[in-house]
Amino acid sequence: MNAMKSIWLLCVSAALAVCAAAEDRCPNKVYSSLSRLVAPGSAVTLHCRGDALLPGLSSPAHPAEWSLNGRPLHSNPQRTVVEDSVLITAARINDAGNYTCHRGGQIVFTVNITVGVSPEKPVLSCYRKVPTQNVRCEWSATYRPIPAPSCKLLVKKGLIGQSSQYNCTFSSTKQRCSCVLPHVEGDTVLYLVSLCVSNSVGAQKSEDQTFTGDSIIKPDPPINVQVHAVMRSSRSLWVNWSKPLSWKTDFYRLRYQVRYRTGQQGEYQLLPTRDPRLLISDAGPRRRYEVQVRGQEEFEHGQWSAWSHEAHGYTWAEPELQTQGYQSTHGVHKDLLAGTVGGIVDSLFSQSEGSGLWEEELEVQASSNDSDLLARHTGWVTGVTLLVAAILVSLFITQYWKKIKAQLLKLGGLAPHFRPLFAKVREPQMTPDLQGIPLSSPPSSGALTERREEAAPLASPAPASPLHLMNMGYFLVPLAEQQGGPSLGPRSQESE
């Protein structure tokens, strides 16, 4: 399928090139024998005799008179006029023009001086960074054309389409010509384009290019490439990155390629992915890797971007003991904690034999390591002891809480069963105004006599007792009177 498409594009391109050749809109300037191109800064000497003498005049019978563009020519700091010659020490742009020598009112010599640098033949490059943008075409000059050239893009759409041209901009600082070709998203029209660059010195035209809008999509390289080690995996690397800032669309996505190698001399390994992250699982342990990423439109339209900047990372490595002396002294710590003096002596001798350290250095290192390790173990033992003690105390309190509570109540002078104490309530006295008023309807004489006899034993004052809120009899006194029970006791006698 791709081969057929390439052949079709080649045939169409050839046909368009034939049509464009017949219509050349970038004519180059042709210099005659009476014109000269001079580079800026070069020296120029003009003589009013020699090959430039006009026919019929063989000798300078009259003094020479020079003019520039029809005006008399005189000497200045950059130009010297001496009799039959004109000397320009360093040609500049304003030195360009038509130089003429007159003798006796007749033209003896004439030449057209052009000061500048003709532009080189441009090499056009067209691309689209995003499928939603227009076509951009650029050319960068390898040397500076003088004066600054003008650029225009010559475009022909299809085999029978009309030709058009678009003006471009030339940057003097970047020495680059930039053009914008309007393009409709999704349009599959075939373009034939070329670039014409011209100035007062000359003009150059680039080779014709043919393309479609989708075939020149070229995104910018991915950014923020980072390489991380995978914890406890010495053969894995985690790589992540971000899409370029110019890819300002979520409808179209990118696919990526990641290449990596060890050092600067190794061969690259290539891995494809469609996500902005990748796990490399075949890396070597304890090695430094160089990683780069590039992107392309997800349906393989257009070209791959340039490779991103290099990112570097190391695979994960398990921490090792720093020196052999530390390994041997580690055995000393074990023996010291266990209380084995023989093991300490043996480990010290083995260390002095194999480590290559002097005895004084060995003792200092062992003492410092011993103090650090003992302090660390002491902290652990203290923490575990405090934790166990807290657990035992909590279990003891939980099991014997009732007994502890009873002991605490006894120590505080409180009874096991708490009964609140209340102040004694004084019995209210009847005022003289209320003594003559009965509390209820007067009973019959017989009943009254019986009540007096029954209430007589109750006349003695009862011992004072605290008021008890749960005694419901306080609220049943009126009901007892209705049922014929005793009334107010001593109060009734006093009222009578």
Side-chain angles (χ1 to χ4, degrees):
M1 183 66 181
N2 292 333
M4 295 296 295
K5 186 176 181 180
S6 300
I7 295 174
W8 178 78
L9 287 175
L10 183 60
C11 295
V12 175
S13 301
L16 291 175
V18 172
C19 296
E23 187 180 355
D24 191 358
R25 290 165 290 166
C26 188
N28 194 5
K29 186 174 182 179
V30 179
Y31 291 93
S32 64
S33 59
L34 297 179
S35 60
R36 184 186 301 180
L37 176 61
V38 178
S42 60
V44 180
T45 303
L46 303 178
H47 298 283
C48 193
R49 63 174 59 196
D51 296 337
L53 289 177
L54 296 180
L57 293 177
S58 58
S59 61
H62 301 279
E65 296 178 357
W66 289 90
S67 64
L68 175 60
N69 297 326
R71 295 180 180 180
L73 184 63
H74 304 284
S75 299
N76 60 23
Q78 290 81 25
R79 180 178 61 226
T80 302
V81 179
V82 179
E83 296 181 354
D84 298 342
S85 302
V86 175
L87 176 61
I88 302 175
T89 55
R92 299 175 301 174
I93 299 298
N94 55 5
D95 291 327
N98 189 15
Y99 289 81
T100 305
C101 176
H102 302 264
R103 286 183 184 274
Q106 297 183 3
I107 297 176
V108 179
F109 171 79
T110 182
V111 64
N112 186 276
I113 299 296
T114 303
V115 180
V117 178
S118 176
E120 60 186 302
K121 186 174 183 178
V123 178
L124 187 62
S125 174
C126 297
Y127 62 89
R128 297 170 67 201
K129 292 185 177 182
V130 186
T132 57
Q133 289 184 351
N134 294 324
V135 179
R136 297 187 66 90
C137 297
E138 294 180 350
W139 164 69
S140 296
T142 58
Y143 61 86
R144 182 181 180 183
I146 300 175
S150 61
C151 306
K152 58 182 178 181
L153 188 66
L154 310 178
V155 181
K156 185 176 179 63
K157 294 183 179 180
L159 292 176
I160 58 176
Q162 294 183 354
S163 300
S164 57
Q165 64 181 21
Y166 298 90
N167 293 326
C168 309
T169 58
F170 183 81
S171 173
S172 299
T173 56
K174 298 181 179 180
Q175 296 297 310
R176 184 172 60 191
C177 185
S178 302
C179 312
V180 177
L181 174 62
H183 177 76
V184 179
E185 181 181 353
D187 193 357
T188 59
V189 64
L190 187 67
Y191 294 98
L192 174 68
V193 298
S194 60
L195 182 66
C196 178
V197 183
S198 62
N199 60 4
S200 60
V201 180
Q204 294 287 344
K205 179 176 175 293
S206 68
E207 298 290 341
D208 296 330
Q209 290 189 10
T210 55
F211 56 81
T212 60
D214 292 340
S215 64
I216 58 172
I217 297 175
K218 185 177 181 180
D220 287 333
I223 60 175
N224 300 330
V225 182
Q226 298 178 352
V227 184
H228 305 281
V230 179
M231 184 62 66
R232 302 191 181 279
S233 178
S234 60
R235 302 188 63 86
S236 299
L237 281 174
W238 184 256
V239 186
N240 61 299
W241 58 90
S242 302
K243 66 180 182 180
L245 298 177
S246 58
W247 195 268
K248 299 179 181 179
T249 177
D250 295 329
F251 183 78
Y252 297 95
R253 300 184 60 187
L254 291 170
R255 67 184 189 123
Y256 303 95
Q257 282 185 347
V258 179
R259 69 177 185 181
Y260 58 97
R261 66 177 179 180
T262 56
Q264 299 291 335
Q265 305 298 330
E267 295 183 358
Y268 282 107
Q269 302 290 331
L270 199 65
L271 291 177
T273 180
R274 290 185 177 271
D275 297 322
R277 63 192 67 87
L278 180 68
L279 179 64
I280 299 175
S281 57
D282 59 348
R286 303 177 181 275
R287 294 184 181 179
R288 181 176 183 267
Y289 278 84
E290 172 189 310
V291 183
Q292 289 180 293
V293 186
R294 67 177 181 176
Q296 186 187 28
E297 199 271 335
E298 61 176 337
F299 297 111
E300 303 183 12
H301 292 155
Q303 310 169 19
W304 284 100
S305 70
W307 288 103
S308 66
H309 293 293
E310 298 176 356
H312 301 89
Y314 290 86
T315 51
W316 181 83
E318 185 175 0
E320 293 183 351
L321 299 179
Q322 297 180 354
T323 60
Q324 185 179 358
Y326 178 80
Q327 295 179 356
S328 56
T329 54
H330 187 63
V332 176
H333 303 329
K334 292 183 178 179
D335 295 336
L336 183 63
L337 293 176
T340 307
V341 179
I344 299 174
V345 176
D346 294 338
S347 61
L348 287 174
F349 278 106
S350 63
Q351 180 186 20
S352 62
E353 293 176 0
S355 62
L357 300 176
W358 295 99
E359 293 181 357
E360 292 81 4
E361 298 176 356
L362 194 62
E363 292 176 358
V364 172
Q365 184 178 7
S367 61
S368 61
N369 291 333
D370 290 345
S371 60
D372 295 340
L373 188 61
L374 286 176
R376 187 162 53 252
H377 286 304
T378 302
W380 279 103
V381 171
T382 304
V384 173
T385 303
L386 293 176
L387 179 61
V388 172
I391 295 175
L392 292 177
V393 170
S394 62
L395 292 176
F396 178 81
I397 292 175
T398 303
Q399 184 175 1
Y400 296 98
W401 170 246
K402 294 183 179 180
K403 294 182 179 180
I404 293 174
K405 182 178 180 181
Q407 293 296 330
L408 292 175
L409 292 174
K410 289 181 179 180
L411 291 176
L414 298 177
H417 301 285
F418 179 78
R419 177 179 296 174
L421 298 177
F422 296 91
K424 294 182 180 181
V425 180
R426 175 180 295 181
E427 185 175 353
Q429 299 295 331
M430 297 295 292
T431 61
D433 298 337
L434 299 177
Q435 289 181 358
I437 302 174
L439 297 178
S440 61
S441 60
S444 60
S445 59
L448 181 58
T449 304
E450 294 176 359
R451 291 182 182 178
R452 288 178 179 177
E453 295 176 355
E454 292 176 1
L458 301 176
S460 61
S465 62
L467 178 65
H468 201 289
L469 295 178
M470 298 306 295
N471 188 0
M472 301 301 294
Y474 294 119
F475 305 98
L476 299 178
V477 171
L479 182 60
E481 292 180 355
Q482 293 179 5
Q483 295 178 356
S487 60
L488 295 177
R491 298 179 188 175
S492 61
Q493 294 177 3
E494 293 176 2
S495 63
E496 292 179 355

